[in-house]
Amino acid sequence: MAIEHDYFGLLSSGPDGSIFWSETVELGDQSVTIDLTAPDQDDVSAAGLDIAASLIARLEGVDDTARRGMLAEVDDRTSEVTEYILQQQESYGDELEDVLVDVSGDAAVDIIRSLRLMSMTILADEHGGSEPFAVLEYAMDDSSSDDVLLVNLGSDGTVQSVMSAD
């Protein structure tokens, strides 16, 4: 079986009924891997695929929303965003300014601005549900595969949570 969509084309399912689609898109000067997945194609709706396509098409705005979500958690000393920022400050030490895109004097803001959007995974079967519909993965550099922040978005595009994956 397969699902056809204007943006994604023909989404063929595997022997277990799952679907997977992947593409690399450019966002500014960085390449972002976009994956769309669902364990059972029967749980994927046309509306969910339309929303997934719109998230990809407006990736810059989605990135801005995710970064605002991270910034909103900076004042909470117990948030995973704050812990991540402290970890980056400790890890880079005096060389932190060398890896920052912009140095304003506010380390938290500068680190969040400097994070690279590595990937966005769209969980197409979660459209309209309470679980994340999209997960954006951020890291300070391309080699930080374990030291990342994950921003979970609902199918309405709002930030549900931000967590570290270290």
Side-chain angles (χ1 to χ4, degrees), residues 9 30 34 41 58 89-91 94 96 101 114-115 121 123:
Q30 57 188 318
I34 309 290
Q41 79 169 21
R58 52 184 193 85
Q89 288 174 309
E90 182 179 318
S91 175
D94 293 336
L96 180 62
V101 174
S114 300
L115 290 173
T121 301
L123 308 164

Side-chain angles (χ1 to χ4, degrees), residues 29-30 63 67 70-71 84-85 88 92 95-118 137-142 144 149:
D29 64 346
Q30 57 188 318
D63 178 47
R67 290 177 195 269
M70 287 184 258
L71 282 171
Y84 181 86
I85 290 167
Q88 296 307 306
Y92 284 98
E95 294 155 13
L96 180 62
E97 287 189 11
D98 296 339
V99 297
L100 296 176
V101 174
D102 185 31
V103 180
S104 70
D106 185 337
V109 171
D110 296 343
I111 289 171
I112 291 171
R113 275 189 200 147
S114 300
L115 290 173
R116 295 182 57 81
L117 175 57
M118 308 300 285
E137 177 183 1
Y138 289 88
M140 283 298 286
D141 62 58
D142 295 338
S144 298
L149 277 176

